[in-house]
Amino acid sequence: MSKRDHLRRLDANAYRGNAVVHWTMTMRDRRTGWLDAMFYYHFRELLTHSLFRYAIACPIFCLMPDHMHLIWIGILDSSDQKLAMKHLRTRLNQSLRKIDVELQDQPYDHVLRPEERNETAIVETCDYLARNPERAELVPLDGYAEYPYSGCLVPGYPELKPFQPDF
């Protein structure tokens, strides 16, 4: 995608309030080599700031070798996922450019429709996202919980783990 190509977005209100959005960010030219433990923890720090600033919870994220997936849920009427994503992407690119990598110009998003927002559907969406490393054969079948670059981030709950039984 060139800088002049732009993904169509829904009305800004679709990303506000208690919206549930599946975001995908791909590395420019599908670059790899940036994903390691140090970047993972830096990503979590940057994500924490964006989520807290814009009142969003992230019940699951998965960093793959050439892209990232995140599910975000707005937790206040004032939540704004488009602004939060812009905030996060700016800081991620500042870090990634130091190692000659950057994100593609725009993230892909899927705003979950009302019928996709019941608990069962959200759990299925999170499970699908969590199993990305299996489909890419980075972990064995049913080994997704052991993938080191998946997690969740819900501001105020640092002990929360996405694959624990009571999650």
Side-chain angles (χ1 to χ4, degrees):
M1 177 184 304
S2 73
K3 286 202 179 264
R4 285 176 271 168
D5 293 335
H6 292 285
L7 296 172
R8 292 183 190 168
R9 297 277 182 227
L10 297 174
D11 180 75
N13 288 324
Y15 302 89
R16 294 184 183 137
N18 65 351
V20 180
V21 183
H22 175 184
W23 294 96
T24 303
M25 296 186 284
T26 304
M27 297 301 148
R28 185 173 306 287
D29 301 322
R30 294 291 219 177
R31 291 282 306 269
T32 60
W34 54 272
L35 183 56
D36 60 19
M38 185 179 295
F39 183 83
Y40 172 81
Y41 287 105
H42 184 62
F43 169 83
R44 283 185 55 87
E45 178 184 359
L46 296 175
L47 181 62
T48 300
H49 289 287
S50 295
L51 296 179
F52 183 80
R53 184 175 186 162
Y54 293 97
I56 297 168
C58 180
I60 190 160
F61 63 83
C62 182
L63 307 182
M64 297 293 286
D66 65 353
H67 66 283
M68 307 173 186
H69 292 279
L70 307 95
I71 301 288
W72 282 2
I73 301 173
I75 54 179
L76 297 175
D77 290 340
S78 61
S79 300
D80 191 323
Q81 293 198 31
K82 281 179 70 176
L83 288 178
M85 183 53 66
K86 182 177 180 180
H87 184 266
L88 177 62
R89 287 174 55 81
T90 297
R91 278 128 194 100
L92 283 173
N93 269 331
Q94 288 169 345
S95 296
L96 289 166
R97 285 182 184 126
K98 292 176 183 176
I99 55 172
D100 199 31
V101 178
E102 69 179 343
L103 297 167
Q104 281 186 356
D105 291 338
Q106 287 185 276
Y108 173 80
D109 67 69
H110 173 72
V111 178
L112 276 65
R113 296 181 296 275
E115 63 272 15
E116 298 173 298
R117 293 180 50 162
N118 64 63
E119 184 176 349
T120 301
I122 290 174
V123 168
E124 288 173 0
T125 300
C126 289
D127 183 66
Y128 178 82
L129 193 152
R131 291 183 181 274
N132 255 327
E134 289 178 5
R135 289 189 295 279
E137 299 180 349
L138 298 172
V139 296
L141 186 64
D142 293 326
Y144 63 92
E146 303 306 315
Y147 185 65
Y149 305 118
S150 290
C152 68
L153 213 153
V154 178
Y157 295 88
E159 69 284 349
L160 194 60
K161 305 282 186 252
F163 308 118
Q164 63 195 33
D166 60 346
F167 178 72

